[in-house]
Amino acid sequence: MSSIERKFTRYRDAFDALGEDHYSQMFGQNFQGFRVLCIVPNERRRDGFLRTAAQTDLQPLIWVTTKDVIGSRGNLDLACWHTSLDEPPHALAE
């Protein structure tokens, strides 16, 4: 496994173990789930992350965008987060 696949597998394990319950207790908030946000250098890397997320059964937990999109606009809530290669991007508030 690549280092990204190993990390994604750990995220899947946390999700499967209801990791959000742990954080709900820790922070005194009611978390309903979580997303893994990945900011990568370019579209080629974005597409690779999305393929790896699909292969490790982590869609739509993994959300990916490029640093140019985030950096040029400075807004994390833009509809720029991809969860798959064939769907339009999402905003974090969705």
Side-chain angles (χ1 to χ4, degrees):
M1 272 193 195
S2 72
S3 63
I4 295 301
E5 288 171 313
R6 284 192 304 273
K7 287 177 186 175
F8 282 6
T9 299
R10 280 186 242 133
Y11 291 131
R12 187 185 62 224
D13 293 346
F15 184 78
D16 290 345
L18 302 175
E20 65 271 19
D21 290 346
H22 171 73
Y23 291 112
S24 292
Q25 292 175 359
M26 182 183 293
F27 294 106
Q29 299 290 321
N30 185 21
F31 291 99
Q32 299 298 315
F34 63 90
R35 298 175 183 139
V36 177
L37 304 178
C38 302
I39 301 172
V40 297
N42 53 49
E43 291 178 1
R44 184 181 67 77
R45 181 70 57 92
R46 180 197 66 202
D47 294 351
F49 267 56
L50 293 171
R51 278 191 293 279
T52 302
Q55 291 167 352
T56 54
D57 196 28
L58 278 169
Q59 287 177 309
L61 181 65
I62 304 293
W63 290 41
V64 187
T65 192
T66 62
K67 69 176 183 138
D68 293 338
V69 171
I70 290 294
S72 67
R73 297 188 181 99
N75 183 353
L76 291 175
D77 197 39
L78 291 171
C80 65
W81 296 95
H82 294 265
T83 59
S84 76
L85 292 170
D86 56 353
E87 291 183 19
H90 301 277
L92 289 178
E94 292 180 20

